[in-house]
Amino acid sequence: MSHEAVRVDPDMEYLTPGVVDLEQMFWTGLGATYTHCNQVWPNLYIGDKKTALEKPGLVEMGVTHIINAAEGTWNNVSTEMIHSLFLVNPSGDIFLEKHWKSVVSRSVCDYFLEAREKALDPEDVPPVISTPHHYLISIYRDKLFFLSVIQTEVPPLFVIEFLHRVAEMIQDYFGECSETVIKDNVVMVYELLEEMLDNGFPLATESNVLKEMIRPPTILRSVVNTLTGSSNVGDKLPTGQLSTIPWRRAGVKYTNNEAYFDVVEEIDAILDRTGTTVFAEIQGVVEACVKLSGMPDLTLSFMNPRLLDDVSFHPCVRYKRWESERVLSFIPPDGNFTLMTYHVNAQNLVAIPVYVKHSINFFESGSGGRLDLTVGPKQTMGKTVEGVLVTVHMPKTVLSVSLNATQGSYTYDNATKVLVWDIGKLNPQKLPNLRGSLSLQTGAPKPEENPSLNIDLKIQQLAISGLKVNRLDMFGEKYKPFKGVKYITKAGKFQVRM
Amino acid sequence: VWLDCLVEGEDGVGFAGLTFVSLLTSVDMSSSPTRNDDLKEMLENNKESLKLEAMKRIVGLIAKGKNASELFPAVVKNVASKNIELKKLVYVYLVRYAEEQQDLALLSISTFQRALKDPNQLIRASALRVLSSIRVPIIIPIMMLAIKEAASDMSPYVRKTSAHAIQKLYSLDPDQKEHLIEVIEKLLKDKSTLVAGSVVMAFEEVCPERIDLIHKNYRKLCNLLVDVEEWGQVVIISMLTRYARTQFTSPWREDGVFDENSERAFYESDEEKTRDDTEIKPYTMDPDHRLLLRNTKPLLQSRNTAVVMSVAQLYWHLAPRNEVSIVTKSLVRLLRSHREVQYIVLQNIATMSIQRKGMFEPYMKSFYVRSTDATHIKSLKLEILTNLANEANISTILREFQTYVKSQDKQFAAGTIQAIGRCATNISEVTDTCLNGLVLLLSNRDETVVAESVVVIKKLLQAQPSQHSDIIKHMAKLLDNITVSMARASILWLIGEYCERVPKIAPDVLRKMAKSFTSEEDIVKLQTVNLAAKLYLTNSKQTKLLTQYILNLGKYDQNYDIRDRTRFIRQLIVPNEKSGALSKYARRILLAPKPAPVLESAYKDRDRYQLGTLSHTINTKASGYLELSDWPAVAPDQSVRNVEVIEPVRIHPSICTALFHFCPDSPPSFFHISCYCPSLPVLLPGEGVGSITGEDWEVQAKTYSPSDLRHCVDIGFVKQLLFRVSGYLHVFRSVTVSYVVPFVPQEVKLQKEVSLLDLDDCELTDVKPWFCPSVLSPSLLTDLEGLSLSNISTMQVSGPAFVPEKSHNLLHRMTGKGLAAQYQFTRQPCLYQPNMVSVQISLTNTSDHRLEQIHIGERSPAGLKIHCFNTIEFLEPDASVTVSMGIDFNDSTQAANFQLCTKEDQFSVSIQPAVGDLFLAVTMTEQDFRKEQGKLQGMNECSATITVTAENTSSQPLNRRVAAMANVGVVPSGQDNVHRFAGKTACSGAVLLVTVELRESSAAVITINTEKSVMGSMLLRDLKKSLAQA
């Protein structure tokens, strides 16, 4: 840099001060006046935000590039809980971004993408990643990552729970939660996100309320909309927010009033190689589909509520009532919802509906092995076991399988080393069997461990814990609703160690 | 193009100064991509559908992260669109780009300012939402004003939005803090559950240090908690956790004994004399502390995992030790949830289980690992299982670990081996078993497993090496095969450390290592040098040359650490003249007994962070983390939390009557309260348990939280009621009594309507006759406005503007043989039937014996419809009771005659209504008033000119006079000199309109329009008299 003053532009009289002049100005405080923009070198300006935003002025000056060298006063106080949301597909592309405050650059996701590369399985990506300026909290759901950017302390579960609600809401609105569906309905998803979060704090997360503000698409409506150009946004404003019952919309009307309850129980179990139960428990959930007019007040009671050890409720259930009388008393939301989830008392022995006879051997010398699996019913309370599906995670060295199934069909995915045997209905007279040979990678050592089996099954009309609904009463409305209860038992995380 | 870089440059920081570089002096800015021109055209089109389509595409662009800022001028024009969807999309756009296009954004501000005054609360709220999201500093004053106004809005939803806006404004301009705190203070007092969560959030962001703002609201927040929306619950709980840690003393006793209600106090008297005065007082928990614990407990059953976790952390940080375990079950339940939830919950359990094994031990099996679990879940479960291991369960755990060791996931298997090592050191009974098990693993085919076993065995042997020379020998043999450097190093270290126990093998190992020295990893080289040195000191005869050789190799190694170490060792062990005194101690330096390593959990010190926080998860302090303070040694003043208690006041019987009676089959302490609301034909019971003390018994009714109120809301019930009996019935209220005045016409679905009321908003301060503008609070009224309860859409029945205090004699005590009765018109809409007039009767027994079965007997005229009060079983001497009844006067001032009966006697009495009492006050707008007036002309109108007294010329006294005379509502008037009042007749619902026009020189014209002309003229006469009076 020159020490002398330089005339920058021969046509202009402005003389850019040299270092000496600058020093003098600095010490004396004279000569410098504040302007929004100064040309400090030929074609180099220093300016403030106002200048930067004034497009015509910039054009006039011939500015082509702007370097931001500012430390802001208002953007660095970040107070929101959830700053931004990115949706990332399995191949690592960001296909939707939403910012509730100032925009965070996509590059923040790089930290996450790096972690995703590192993980063998998408499930293994740590849900909380901390980067120099942000924290990334993500969930993996339906093959998509929902990635939120956080700047300050916030309970991580708060964010995780919210992200799952977003996914559930998308599922609820469009029937599935996938990249194509989100891309097809991007505007509506955006509107939903706008309503669900205000300044990073959840605003309306109840499906009933949201559906009044933004109507879910139906085939008929979308056809009509394209023809008439009308929209999905509710033209009436919702009242739900204002009632003491935020989960129920007002003015519900049905010609057929019905209330259905599904008691779904899942058996979580680990059986060891001898078939003994290492661990077993029953988790249940009462799913409801209530389509009742007006403002019905329901009471659901069980024959044997003592079975229930630990429960969690939809906010509509009156906890006090449950505590004192063990009945579920509630004004239901309209439509489908999960009324309660429960855990069956651990003291009760859990009936294990199926058994597995299995043998898997790998030959000491050769590059092969044998597999023999038989599945049979055990304690089924006289019901038929359906939808039986056996999944085996084979050792990495197993190249291919050549098996023979007496019932159902099997597939083996060489990439993931997963053997799936779809059996279907269990016939106690003729037990399904799967046997055959396995071929191993040549030269590989004999696998150290035998794989474990995961079993999926379904039993209709049975709650394995023995839980029974006693009765359902309705108050507050005059009509007679149609009521129904259905029981289903399923396998949850049902694992057999071989 | 350049704008893109502007947008990127702006991330995270604002502009205070910028550097512009212009490389070319002339750049044609307008020639930037014209891709968006079609969108611009569509937006400028008149067709709504095209505009909408354009906006949808623009939002799509924003969602993809594309820049659409140049469309700003075209978009902002649509901000005032009538189409709600279009408007919404414009809002989305505005919030995104307003900061970049500040000048243009200002154009939209006036639209929002107008919308802030909209009668629809949702429009007000959304206007405030968008206005506060526009991050343009110049509108800060406007925002401030809008927030202040919204904070006192009638609608709780708008108030909630204003709480959100506080945070936005604060982050835009922290200098506004002081003003914002004022708003927060105001909103904290709000009693709506809708607002509570959001305002606490604002409090946490803006002024978490101002704990003094919480004191007065503490109890209210605790009580509201169950009904706050779930996200708000999380925030409130975490704030209250911090609060409690500063305000209460520690419930954690050193001795672990805890007695809340202090059984000790019972024995204290005996021991007192023997005790020192300096003895620490037995701990008693502050009732407020207990209140918090009690009111958060139900939330453990929430479906929201974040709520459950926050309650769990509250118990962990605040509850007495013996109560913490109630959260266990719920935390274990969360493990059924999504993988991410599991991750966080397991982390917290890991921290908890270090301090409190017992909490999770019964649920040990829930932490068993499945082969399908994600890696981080597996290692957390392993961590917890290790923490839970004790003498009793170790065999089960080890059996489980055996399966894990064989897992295909080798990292996990290695983790398991470490876990086994930890169990072995912590539980001395199983050390040998574990060691043997680990030795068996040394023959495993997988190298990771073997290597990890070696490392762990090394640590275990260090603790008790004496008996284990066999294992060391075994491991020495492994050295030939094992390649993992950490394991090789560990073996070398072991042999070196215990070389005297394996005197034959050690030199041989050194020989082998000397051969392979150059090809080893650094860490192995270092240990080889160590081994050489130790052998040199113990067995120099056999190893001297080998050592020399290794030291020479080390001297020229590429790694300076190894060169340094070699030089140091050489100086230390090889005596020469220069080495001086140190080499004498070489043996003591190198072969000093070393303490065994302690194997401990990685989660050991995590509890320095509050559980459930982000900081806890990442194990470093996240920005914005608020420390949890230590318990104060002495609790600060408790009385700061006291709120003024309103003196017991009798509930107005016409509104709510509470009866209770003993249940004969129940234990004597059990009572049954029926709260009876006359408008409903049903009794809705509430129940509670109380105790009887002496003659006069007091019962604290079960506290009805608003969630319970949902099913007894129809009776217009009450938060805390104190029932007291002394011979006759009294209903007292303590603290707050909130109730709903259900003036609902009967056929309307009552439950729905009432549930819309925000209970906490309608608080009746005092029901003694008093001039109160309306019994219903303003917000209640607005909430009700939308309900279209009334069949006349423009008119709303409101509470009376004035209730005359005057009561009339019904029955003199002399004629009534001791029974005295007075009646009074309450002017409330009658709750029994809408066409009745409600009358309140107070009965007093002035005789010296008790009067039984007081009821209403025959009535005349025969067709007179009366809703009688329930028979009063007995009335003790000097006792009095107030009952309410409804009478259908059929819009006439004809007296209602009936008989008031006791068991023995019957007395004829009569109630004579004044004409003004036959009306019900209604509210309507001035416009509607004029419309109605237009319909009631001619013979329906009567008027008179009078001279009014001086004090009646101003509006307040005038309104009061008119309202005292007749039950009419004030109609807001645009003119100062014209006062309008509206009412309707109770029976037929005919409209009554009263206009008082003040003229010059204290003349006034009273005009009454009603189709009930007789009543009109009677009222006119009364009003004339009243207004002319001084």
Side-chain angles (χ1 to χ4, degrees), chain B residues 12 33 83 134 171 543 545 604 609 638 657 665 785 835 951:
Chain B
N83 183 321
I134 296 177
S171 69
T543 58
L545 284 171
K604 189 156 178 290
Y609 297 111
Q638 303 178 2
T657 321
D665 309 332
E785 262 166 25
N835 54 354
E951 74 249 41

Side-chain angles (χ1 to χ4, degrees), chain B residues 640-910:
Chain B
V640 289
R641 283 182 294 275
N642 290 349
V643 261
E644 280 169 54
V645 175
I646 305 158
E647 282 304 297
V649 165
R650 185 156 5 139
I651 288 181
H652 205 284
S654 71
I655 294 154
C656 176
T657 321
L659 304 166
F660 57 92
H661 49 263
F662 293 105
C663 300
D665 309 332
S666 311
S669 63
F670 188 84
F671 69 90
H672 185 87
I673 311 166
S674 327
C675 284
Y676 174 52
C677 179
S679 72
L680 292 170
V682 287
L683 286 173
L684 284 147
E687 283 170 351
V689 175
S691 58
I692 302 174
T693 48
E695 292 175 68
D696 202 341
W697 53 280
E698 254 185 37
V699 179
Q700 178 82 46
K702 183 170 140 193
T703 312
Y704 286 87
S705 75
S707 66
D708 286 306
L709 279 172
R710 277 188 205 120
H711 60 108
C712 58
V713 70
D714 350 21
I715 57 166
F717 205 50
V718 190
K719 262 206 168 157
Q720 279 184 317
L721 267 181
L722 202 66
F723 291 88
R724 170 189 290 229
V725 153
S726 54
Y728 58 94
L729 185 87
H730 264 320
V731 184
F732 287 99
R733 64 174 181 159
S734 71
V735 198
T736 44
V737 178
S738 346
Y739 59 83
V740 179
V741 184
F743 58 85
V744 186
Q746 276 183 328
E747 72 283 356
V748 186
K749 286 158 236 121
L750 191 73
Q751 214 161 17
K752 184 175 86 189
E753 261 74 41
V754 177
S755 61
L756 278 167
L757 307 177
D758 197 340
L759 269 173
D760 295 297
D761 273 349
C762 49
E763 189 175 332
L764 196 75
T765 43
D766 194 343
V767 265
K768 274 194 294 184
W770 181 248
F771 185 83
C772 51
S774 160
V775 177
L776 297 167
S777 75
S779 76
L780 185 58
L781 267 178
T782 36
D783 282 349
L784 287 166
E785 262 166 25
L787 301 178
S788 66
L789 296 175
S790 165
N791 35 10
I792 309 164
S793 59
T794 52
M795 286 174 25
Q796 304 291 330
V797 178
S798 65
F802 178 80
V803 181
E805 250 171 300
K806 194 183 166 204
S807 55
H808 314 269
N809 252 332
L810 186 66
L811 182 64
H812 192 264
R813 65 185 170 92
M814 297 309 284
T815 40
K817 297 183 185 168
L819 178 68
Q822 295 207 306
Y823 71 90
Q824 186 185 352
F825 289 96
T826 63
R827 293 192 167 181
Q828 300 285 352
C830 181
L831 303 162
Y832 307 101
Q833 269 177 36
N835 54 354
M836 285 187 172
V837 173
S838 68
V839 183
Q840 181 186 328
I841 297 177
S842 34
L843 299 158
T844 315
N845 183 356
T846 57
S847 71
D848 52 2
H849 57 276
R850 81 191 223 176
L851 296 168
E852 290 179 351
Q853 289 184 7
I854 302 167
H855 62 278
I856 287 175
E858 273 179 42
R859 47 198 95 164
S860 78
L864 181 70
K865 279 181 254 160
I866 297 184
H867 187 104
C868 311
F869 55 86
N870 287 2
T871 303
I872 298 162
E873 289 304 326
F874 59 85
L875 197 59
E876 293 288 351
D878 285 323
S880 66
V881 64
T882 307
V883 292
S884 78
M885 53 191 288
I887 302 171
D888 185 357
F889 285 105
N890 201 14
D891 290 352
S892 82
T893 48
Q894 197 184 1
N897 301 311
F898 55 90
Q899 287 189 319
L900 194 59
C901 312
T902 64
K903 200 177 177 186
E904 299 90 4
D905 297 293
Q906 301 175 343
F907 313 102
S908 292
V909 293
S910 101

Side-chain angles (χ1 to χ4, degrees), chain A residues 43-49 52-53 55 58-59 62-65 67-68 70 72 74-75 77 79 81 96-97 101 103 105-106 123-125 127 135 138-141 151-158 160-161 164-165 186-187 190-191 194-195 198-199 201-203 205-206 231-233 235 237-238 241-244 266 268 278-279 283 309-315 318-320 393-395 446 448-449 452 454 476 493 495 497, chain B residues 2 9-25 27 29 56 59 62-65 84-85 88-89 92 96 99-100 102 120-122 129 135 157 164 167-168 171-172 194 201 205 230-231 234-235 298 301-306 309 329 333 336 338-340 342-344 365 368-372 374-376 400 403 406-408 444-445 612-615 617-618 622-623 625 708 710-711 751 755-757:
Chain A
N43 289 341
L44 185 73
Y45 299 83
I46 293 181
D48 61 3
K49 186 178 178 183
L53 294 172
K55 203 164 131 189
L58 292 175
V59 178
V63 171
T64 56
H65 292 76
I67 298 166
N68 183 356
W74 50 79
N75 280 334
V77 186
T79 57
M81 288 194 146
L96 185 131
E97 59 179 78
K101 209 113 196 239
V103 180
S105 159
R106 280 178 177 221
E123 295 261 321
D124 286 341
V125 179
Y135 307 100
S138 63
I139 63 161
Y140 180 67
R141 194 168 160 150
Q151 284 192 330
T152 48
E153 172 64 55
V154 56
L157 271 185
F158 187 96
I160 288 169
E161 181 80 29
H164 277 292
R165 288 283 170 89
V186 70
V187 175
Y190 225 68
E191 282 170 337
E194 188 75 27
E195 291 299 338
D198 181 20
N199 193 36
F201 191 77
L203 189 65
T205 50
E206 283 295 337
S231 67
N232 284 314
V233 172
D235 40 9
L237 290 158
Q241 281 279 13
L242 313 172
S243 78
T244 48
E266 292 195 351
D268 282 3
V278 177
F279 164 75
Q283 307 280 353
D309 184 34
D310 180 49
V311 285
S312 80
F313 299 122
H314 189 276
R318 296 171 182 117
Y319 181 69
K320 289 263 167 64
H393 290 262
M394 286 291 183
K446 179 188 154 189
E448 189 70 23
E449 192 209 6
S452 59
N454 286 299
K493 294 171 183 163
Q495 195 164 80
R497 294 171 175 167
Chain B
W2 66 273
E10 184 202 271
D11 293 337
V13 280
F15 298 72
L18 288 161
T19 313
F20 304 69
V21 185
S22 92
L23 296 174
L24 300 162
T25 32
V27 173
M29 300 278 294
K56 281 184 176 171
V59 169
I62 297 174
K64 280 187 214 127
I84 293 180
E85 181 165 30
K88 272 191 171 174
L89 294 176
V92 169
R96 170 70 181 76
E99 198 177 4
E100 290 165 30
Q102 305 205 353
N120 186 323
Q121 48 186 345
L122 285 150
R129 259 184 82 187
R135 294 175 295 278
Y157 183 61
H164 285 205
Q167 301 164 58
K168 297 187 218 175
S171 69
L172 186 58
L194 213 51
M201 185 69 221
E205 296 296 351
E230 36 196 7
W231 310 107
V234 178
V235 178
Q301 257 59 50
S302 170
R303 65 167 171 173
N304 187 318
T305 57
M309 188 66 231
K329 229 187 245 180
R333 183 185 72 231
R336 282 273 301 171
H338 304 283
R339 138 195 109 91
E340 300 84 9
Q342 282 184 42
Y343 174 69
I344 305 292
K365 288 187 172 173
Y368 280 7
V369 176
R370 293 187 165 76
S371 57
T372 41
T375 319
H376 47 261
E400 187 65 18
T403 359
K406 289 187 223 144
S407 163
Q408 292 179 29
N444 195 293
R445 241 172 289 182
T613 57
L614 181 62
S615 303
T617 296
I618 56 176
S623 68
Y625 173 74
D708 286 306
R710 277 188 205 120
H711 60 108
Q751 214 161 17
S755 61
L756 278 167
L757 307 177

Side-chain angles (χ1 to χ4, degrees), chain A residues 52-53 55 58 64 66, chain B residues 1-9 29 32 67 69-70 100-101:
Chain A
L53 294 172
K55 203 164 131 189
L58 292 175
T64 56
I66 299 170
Chain B
V1 185
W2 66 273
L3 259 171
D4 279 333
C5 75
L6 167 70
V7 175
E8 262 167 39
M29 300 278 294
S32 55
N67 181 24
S69 63
E70 60 171 20
E100 290 165 30
Q101 310 263 350

Side-chain angles (χ1 to χ4, degrees), chain A residues 397-443:
Chain A
T397 47
V398 176
L399 266 187
S400 64
V401 297
S402 143
L403 304 169
N404 186 25
T406 60
Q407 188 187 335
S409 58
Y410 78 91
T411 53
Y412 180 67
D413 183 346
N414 198 16
T416 54
K417 309 286 178 196
V418 176
L419 172 73
V420 180
W421 179 24
D422 187 350
I423 300 172
K425 205 180 268 183
L426 268 195
N427 179 0
Q429 271 75 49
K430 194 167 162 291
L431 298 179
N433 173 272
L434 179 76
R435 75 174 83 184
S437 60
L438 314 169
S439 61
L440 299 180
Q441 226 165 352
T442 40

